[in-house]
């Protein structure tokens, strides 16, 4: 979707001035729902998808890619980020896997995990990778604010009723 | 008496204006409410109930919009769910001679739609302080004068709270309090034992914990603890103009509400010595209009009301209506804040909660009550609460794979956070005025803010941080972090003053009835009327003064005096 038009749709939907039927405009704007907007190329998308699943794999609940995280990241890059920030992010993705994304994709599962683990270990240190940091943040947000992440990996209750104290065992997981 | 188009014009539909409209309409007055913002009807809240995955950027706001809202984007509730309730700063500029953060609403209902709902009565001391320590001008009103009006407003608003019998924080007419949680109950014991003068009580918030008949009649029902309030709440479970006062006014058939109407001037007639009505611009068409009424109530919010009054120039009042002695725009204040602390509470890992409780703990003022603190005048209170960390740490935290995922799925430790809100001093030199030449696109002269905190406020904020840390230590918390921010005035969003109440026309703008000394059918009943700021959140007190002023204006009109 054209970025400008998209933003204008959303802004109308959220009440900046224009007299547009909001619900319809919002739905239109949300038509992306899970489908990649085609900003990242197939290899880049696959890379993001694999990294997402290394960080948030399938367990008793779905993995990050199963929750639509790669598509969300693709959408975020194309529609949310300013072009400069967007380009430097994509540049950075290459740097993450030592030059070539294709090469990364050919590595063994163990090797890929090791690579991500070593990037993750450096988080918070002086030589942390800013792109990894940004990517992880997007993966985590993308997952836990997705319907799958919020309702399965976490607990989500849109209308919880009056506040009350419970034991953790009664719900077993953290609330969104 | 006169043949005006309306009995009353109310400027603004926020916390003060909508309540004024309700009271006038219920007394049978034909009331016109003029509101700058866009229409937002109750239950037409565009983002209410939307899950994050239904929002394009999961709640994050693109830079384009932040650029349009370069001031508003800093307010703590600002996100993609709420931003349409805040004004576009590019369209509504002002000049900061000294830094002032002016948070403003973009809608009918004003800031009542997005407020934090904390609601506390002022105390006897609050009304006496100016006289006692000589700062500012003496209030012409005491607690006893306003008490019956709290009694009237609170049941309509619906405030949950506990009865504590404290002189410093008078009890009101409450619905059941929101409960303290297990961590807070234990902290209360420890803190109150170590510091017998400090009280640790449930926050008093405008949430219907047990709706009464008058709430249900307006379709307002019990709070569901979603804590998504600033998006608007179709349950009407927190108080807003949109959910309560405006529907109450509307059902009388006496209210006319015009949105997108920027009031620019109160009109004055020299011969009769009265305000005759107001001039406004239809912001959509740009058309200028005048409308007449017997009485004018200014409720456009503190700064905006003063701006309009300053712009109401006539031969009699070249410096703004009723402003013969350069009192209008003086003594502008906000609460000072930024002091506080947070810490980790060890244990309680089996305990959790259901629902996002919309209010936590309050610690009322304890400084300068029975003894002088010495380093500063007046005092501050704390807004606080304990809750468990959720998944957000994982955004920047370490870990990958199943173990990471498992850890994120569980709540983290309990944390307790406390923020101070302090009473800043009224100062004559802290003022707002009109820019001599610059105007907004509708032709309204820009406001200039020239307001700053002083040494008293800095000393108080430091003390807030000290006492916060000291209390968290006494309660056995770990990893205690001390906050000591220095946000400019406006940041607490409790701006008051500018058209202060006082005893004489030489020193104040309003008399003890919120009535302009020089223009008897002109009233200002929002925060502009306040001669000092207490340290408690002010809005319920704006409403109490509004109710009292309406009652007085009603009597005056009935007697043909105005
Ligand atoms: C995020 C947030 C949290 C807050 N938390 C609390 C809290 O917990 N407790 C508390 O007591 N207070 C709180 N406040 C402050 C509270 O919202 C205000 O004190 C209160 O709304 C002020 O009431 P008012 O009627 O003076 O102004 P508003 O509610 O702002 O209403 C004024 C109205 O006048 C309109 N207006 C302005 N200029 C013009 C014009 N020229 N012509 C026509 N109309 C005009 C505005 O559009 C607006 O609708 C909070 C505020 C915010 C933003
Ligand atoms: S917490 Fe209560 S008032 Fe706030 S949105 Fe939820 S139900 Fe409404």
């Amino acid at each position: 979707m054209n970025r400008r038009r998209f933003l204008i749709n959303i802004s109308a939907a959220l009440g900046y001035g224009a007299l547009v039927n909001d619900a319809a405009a919002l739905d239109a704007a949300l038509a992306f729902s899970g489908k990649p907007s085609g900003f990242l190329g197939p290899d880049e998308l696959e890379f993001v998808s694999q990294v997402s699943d290394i960080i948030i794999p399938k367990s008793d609940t779905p993995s990050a890619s199963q929750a639509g995280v790669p598509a969300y990241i693709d959408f975020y890059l194309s529609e949310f980020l300013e072009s400069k920030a967007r380009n430097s992010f994509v540049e950075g993705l290459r740097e993450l896997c030592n030059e070539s994304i294709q090469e990364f994709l050919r590595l063994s599962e163990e090797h890929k995990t090791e690579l991500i683990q070593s990037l993750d270990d450096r988080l918070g240190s002086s030589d942390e990778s800013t792109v990894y940091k940004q990517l992880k943040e997007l993966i985590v947000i993308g997952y836990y604010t997705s319907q799958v992440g919020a309702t399965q990996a976490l607990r989500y209750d849109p209308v919880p009723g009056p506040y009350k104290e419970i034991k953790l065992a009664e719900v077993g997981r953290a609330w969104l | 008496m006169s043949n005006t188009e309306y009995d009353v014009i109310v400027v603004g539909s926020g916390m003060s204006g909508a309540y004024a409209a309700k009271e006038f309409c219920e007394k049978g007055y034909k009331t016109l409410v003029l509101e700058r913002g866009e229409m937002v009807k109750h239950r037409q809240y565009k983002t209410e109930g939307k899950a994050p995955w239904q929002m394009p950027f999961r709640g994050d706001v693109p830079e384009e919009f932040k650029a349009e809202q370069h001031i508003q984007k800093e307010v703590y509730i600002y996100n993609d769910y709420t931003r349409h309730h805040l004004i576009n700063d590019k369209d509504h500029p002002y000049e900061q001679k000294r830094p002032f953060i002016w948070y403003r609403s973009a809608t009918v209902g004003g800031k009542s739609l997005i407020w934090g709902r904390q609601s506390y009565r002022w105390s006897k001391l609050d009304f006496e302080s100016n006289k006692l320590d000589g700062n500012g001008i003496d209030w012409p009103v005491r607690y006893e004068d306003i008490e019956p009006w709290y009694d009237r407003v609170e049941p309509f608003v619906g405030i949950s709270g506990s009865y504590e019998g404290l002189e410093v924080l008078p009890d009101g007419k409450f619905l059941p309090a929101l409960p303290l949680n297990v961590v807070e109950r234990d902290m209360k014991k420890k803190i109150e034992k170590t510091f017998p003068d400090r009280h640790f009580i449930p926050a008093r918030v405008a949430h219907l914990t047990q709706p009464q008949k008058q709430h249900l009649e307006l379709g307002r029902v019990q709070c569901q603890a979603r804590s998504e309030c600033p998006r608007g709440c179709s349950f009407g479970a927190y108080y807003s103009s949109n959910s309560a006062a405006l529907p109450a006014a509307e059902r009388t058939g006496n209210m006319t509400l015009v949105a997108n109407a920027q009031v620019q001037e109160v009109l004055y007639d020299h011969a009769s010595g009265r305000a005759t009505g107001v001039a406004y611009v239809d912001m959509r068409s740009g058309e200028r209009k005048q409308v007449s009424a017997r009485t004018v109530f200014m409720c456009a919010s503190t700064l905006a009301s003063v701006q309009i009054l300053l712009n109401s120039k006539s031969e009699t009042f070249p410096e703004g209506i009723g402003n013969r002695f350069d009192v209008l725009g003086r003594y502008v204040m906000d609460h000072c804040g930024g002091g506080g602390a947070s810490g980790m509470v060890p244990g309680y890992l089996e305990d959790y909660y259901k629902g996002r409780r919309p209010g936590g703990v309050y610690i009322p003022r304890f400084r300068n009550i029975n003894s002088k603190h010495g380093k500063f005048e007046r005092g501050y209170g704390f807004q606080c609460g304990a809750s468990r960390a959720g998944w957000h740490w994982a955004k920047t935290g370490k870990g990958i794979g199943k173990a990471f995922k498992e850890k994120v799925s569980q709540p983290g430790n309990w944390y307790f956070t406390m923020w101070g809100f302090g009473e800043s001093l009224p100062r004559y030199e802290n003022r707002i005025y009109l820019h001599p030449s610059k105007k907004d696109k509708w032709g309204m002269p820009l406001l200039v803010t020239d307001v700053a905190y002083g040494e008293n406020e800095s000393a108080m904020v430091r003390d807030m941080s000290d006492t916060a840390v000291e209390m968290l230590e006494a309660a056995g918390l770990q990893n205690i972090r001390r906050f000591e921010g220095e946000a400019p005035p406006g940041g607490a969003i409790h701006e008051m003053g500018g058209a202060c109440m006082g005893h004489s026309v030489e020193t104040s703008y309003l008399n003890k009835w919120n009535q302009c000394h020089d223009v008897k059918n002109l009233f200002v009943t929002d925060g502009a009327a306040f001669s000092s700021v207490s340290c408690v959140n002010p809005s319920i007190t704006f409403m109490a003064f509004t109710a009292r002023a309406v009652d007085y204006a009603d009597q005056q009109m009935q007697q043909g005096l105005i």
Side-chain angles (χ1 to χ4, degrees):
Chain A
M1 195 185 307
N2 168 289
R3 173 171 165 81
R4 277 254 86 74
R5 220 190 50 229
F6 171 79
L7 288 172
I8 290 161
N9 283 349
I10 297 271
S11 88
L14 299 189
Y16 279 101
L19 285 163
V20 173
N21 177 335
D22 355 286
L26 190 58
D27 286 349
L30 295 176
F32 71 93
S33 63
K35 267 192 264 116
S37 53
F39 173 71
L40 290 176
D43 284 350
E44 289 160 339
L45 204 59
E46 180 59 24
F47 171 72
V48 167
S49 177
Q50 291 192 10
V51 175
S52 300
D53 283 355
I54 290 170
I55 294 175
I56 303 179
K58 181 171 171 354
S59 55
D60 54 339
T61 57
S63 74
S65 68
Q66 288 170 323
V69 168
Y72 171 70
I73 292 177
D74 182 50
F75 175 77
Y76 177 91
L77 292 174
S78 84
E79 304 297 336
F80 187 91
L81 281 193
E82 303 285 342
S83 63
K84 222 176 113 202
R86 182 192 322 157
N87 292 338
S88 78
F89 183 85
V90 177
E91 285 296 301
L93 284 186
R94 302 205 179 98
E95 161 210 322
L96 264 195
C97 37
N98 303 326
E99 301 305 317
S100 155
I101 285 177
Q102 282 90 346
E103 253 171 57
F104 178 91
L105 295 178
R106 281 195 293 270
L107 298 176
S108 69
E109 293 305 307
E110 289 77 33
H111 203 144
K112 285 175 190 162
T113 307
E114 258 169 46
L115 217 146
I116 300 303
Q117 181 74 62
S118 74
L119 285 164
D120 200 86
D121 288 342
R122 275 156 43 207
L123 279 179
S125 75
S126 56
D127 68 338
E128 73 175 5
S129 152
T130 35
V131 168
Y132 176 74
K133 186 176 166 186
Q134 211 182 346
L135 178 61
K136 182 173 187 188
E137 187 169 349
L138 281 175
I139 291 168
V140 168
I141 292 175
Y143 185 69
Y144 290 103
T145 60
S146 72
Q147 187 163 12
V148 165
T151 60
Q152 297 183 39
L154 300 174
R155 289 288 173 262
Y156 175 66
D157 190 346
V159 186
Y163 175 88
K164 64 175 188 196
E165 287 183 63
I166 57 172
K167 289 291 169 192
L168 176 56
E170 290 174 51
V171 37
R173 287 176 188 268
W175 298 109
L176 171 70
Chain B
M1 199 185 102
S2 56
N3 47 350
T4 52
E5 291 159 80
Y6 293 92
D7 296 322
V8 182
I9 293 172
V10 177
V11 181
S13 63
M15 203 67 80
S16 318
Y19 196 79
K22 166 200 173 286
E23 294 283 75
F24 276 122
C25 288
E26 287 177 351
K27 291 179 197 296
Y29 291 99
K30 294 285 172 206
T31 305
L32 173 66
V33 180
L34 292 172
E35 166 58 53
R36 174 190 61 199
E38 297 271 334
M39 180 55 87
V40 172
K41 287 246 178 207
H42 184 45
R43 304 219 168 97
Q44 296 183 358
Y45 304 123
K46 293 166 183 177
T47 55
E48 183 186 7
K50 293 251 182 286
W53 59 88
Q54 294 172 307
M55 298 296 284
F57 307 115
R58 311 278 164 99
D60 213 350
V61 180
E63 289 304 323
E64 274 89 336
F65 294 116
K66 290 190 181 159
E68 300 278 306
Q69 296 182 297
H70 53 94
I71 308 266
Q72 311 303 313
K73 76 176 180 1
E74 302 300 335
V75 68
Y76 68 96
I77 57 148
Y78 184 81
N79 56 40
D80 217 16
Y81 300 93
T82 57
R83 63 183 166 81
H84 55 294
H85 290 164
L86 290 151
I87 208 166
N88 181 315
D89 295 304
K90 286 233 169 111
D91 285 344
H92 298 272
Y94 65 101
E95 299 263 318
Q96 302 178 51
K97 178 147 186 255
R98 290 186 286 175
F100 189 99
I101 312 176
W102 193 8
Y103 291 128
R104 287 175 284 172
S105 143
T107 70
V108 165
K111 296 196 292 292
S112 77
L113 200 53
I114 52 173
W115 70 315
R117 294 117 22 231
Q118 301 268 335
S119 302
Y120 304 97
R121 288 190 179 199
W122 283 33
S123 68
K124 288 194 167 76
L125 182 59
D126 290 327
F127 290 101
E128 289 163 3
S129 292
N130 281 5
K131 182 151 196 193
L132 289 175
D133 63 29
N135 290 289
I137 50 174
D138 182 28
W139 277 88
V141 173
R142 290 291 182 264
Y143 180 71
E144 293 69 25
D145 299 311
I146 198 69
E147 186 175 27
W149 302 98
Y150 281 124
D151 290 347
R152 177 172 173 81
V153 169
E154 285 162 347
F156 178 74
V157 167
I159 295 175
S160 67
S162 57
Y163 293 90
E164 303 283 346
L166 304 173
E167 183 142 356
V168 71
L169 195 75
D171 292 332
K173 302 228 176 281
F174 296 143
L175 303 173
L178 289 171
L180 297 184
N181 61 40
V182 56
V183 167
E184 293 161 350
R185 288 194 297 274
D186 286 352
M187 288 182 68
K188 174 181 171 74
K189 281 183 220 143
K190 291 180 192 156
I191 289 176
E192 291 185 350
K193 184 156 174 271
T194 318
F195 307 99
D197 62 337
R198 304 185 192 174
H199 303 276
F200 190 102
I201 69 172
R204 295 172 177 174
V205 285
H207 283 262
L208 300 182
T209 48
Q210 199 178 83
Q212 305 296 301
K213 186 159 168 280
Q214 59 173 323
H215 307 127
L216 296 169
E217 280 170 3
L218 286 165
R220 300 183 60 200
V221 298
Q222 186 174 19
C223 177
Q224 298 299 316
R226 301 182 295 171
S227 206
E228 299 172 356
C229 321
R231 307 180 193 181
C233 176
S234 291
F235 297 110
Y238 77 94
Y239 178 85
S240 67
S241 298
N242 312 60
S243 68
L246 291 174
E250 191 151 32
R251 71 183 168 188
T252 65
N254 290 326
M255 179 176 72
T256 307
L257 172 64
V258 180
N260 305 108
Q262 186 197 57
V263 173
Q264 297 199 337
E265 236 184 288
V266 177
L267 303 169
Y268 177 74
D269 173 52
H270 181 72
S272 60
R274 298 165 56 89
T276 55
V278 305
Y280 72 95
V281 172
D282 177 328
M283 297 166 79
R284 292 231 165 122
S285 66
E287 203 182 327
R288 289 178 183 274
K289 301 186 178 180
Q290 294 197 350
V291 55
S292 62
R294 267 179 82 178
T295 295
V296 175
F297 262 58
M298 296 301 298
C299 302
S301 79
T302 297
L303 269 56
S305 284
V306 173
Q307 182 180 20
I308 297 165
L309 294 167
L310 285 166
N311 193 44
S312 306
K313 295 178 178 170
S314 58
E315 244 169 70
T316 323
F317 297 116
E319 299 305 322
I321 188 166
N323 186 29
R324 282 189 291 142
F325 296 95
D326 187 21
V327 290
L328 193 56
R330 300 276 177 189
Y331 300 107
V332 170
M333 302 159 276
D334 183 24
H335 287 149
C336 57
S342 72
M344 196 264 274
V345 187
Y348 303 95
L349 295 178
E350 304 300 312
D351 294 298
Y352 207 23
Y353 39 77
K354 182 173 187 301
R356 299 176 285 279
R357 190 182 51 170
V361 173
Y362 190 67
I363 300 177
R365 171 174 167 183
F366 50 87
R367 286 296 195 222
N368 290 317
I369 295 181
N370 294 319
S371 60
K372 283 264 167 208
H373 179 259
K375 293 201 178 126
F376 57 88
E377 301 281 0
R378 316 223 177 164
Y380 54 85
F382 285 107
Q383 288 175 29
C384 340
S387 59
R388 292 190 75 165
W391 62 278
H392 291 271
W393 68 268
K395 290 187 235 173
T396 51
K398 282 189 181 184
I400 67 169
K402 284 190 179 162
F404 173 68
K405 197 178 170 195
E406 179 55 32
K407 195 168 160 203
V408 184
S409 79
Q410 294 300 309
N413 282 311
W414 286 86
Y415 288 88
F416 186 86
T417 306
M418 52 200 296
W419 288 104
F421 284 81
E423 175 166 8
S424 58
L425 295 177
R427 292 189 182 85
Y428 182 77
E429 63 277 16
N430 277 344
R431 62 186 288 237
I432 53 179
Y433 54 91
L434 298 182
H435 194 279
S437 56
K438 289 189 187 167
K439 295 184 173 176
D440 73 12
K441 65 186 193 191
W442 297 278
M444 185 71 172
L446 301 194
L447 198 66
V448 183
T449 63
D450 187 9
V451 179
Y453 295 131
E455 188 39 47
N456 201 65
E457 287 75 27
S458 307
M460 190 186 290
V461 170
R462 278 196 298 277
D463 191 57
M464 279 175 197
S465 309
D466 292 345
T467 60
V469 168
E470 150 190 298
M471 283 188 266
L472 296 190
E473 282 171 351
L477 270 60
Q478 298 173 357
N479 306 334
I480 295 172
R481 252 182 54 218
R482 175 195 168 94
F483 315 140
E484 202 169 299
E486 287 244 337
I493 332 179
H494 295 157
E495 63 275 16
M496 286 172 256
C500 298
M501 296 170 85
H503 297 281
S504 77
V505 67
E506 288 85 6
T507 57
S508 61
Y509 189 73
L510 304 170
N511 68 14
K512 65 175 175 180
W513 303 110
N514 294 76
Q515 182 180 32
C516 177
H517 287 296
D518 267 350
V519 184
K520 297 295 178 204
N521 63 338
L522 174 61
F523 293 78
V524 183
T525 76
D526 56 27
F530 281 51
S531 320
S532 69
V533 295
S534 168
C535 69
V536 299
N537 309 60
S539 306
I540 191 75
T541 307
F542 297 174
M543 295 177 75
F545 271 98
T546 300
R548 180 171 172 271
V550 171
D551 178 71
Y552 175 77
D554 170 36
Q555 291 173 31
Q556 296 280 297
M557 285 196 275
Q558 284 190 35
Q559 294 167 31
L561 294 171
I562 60 172

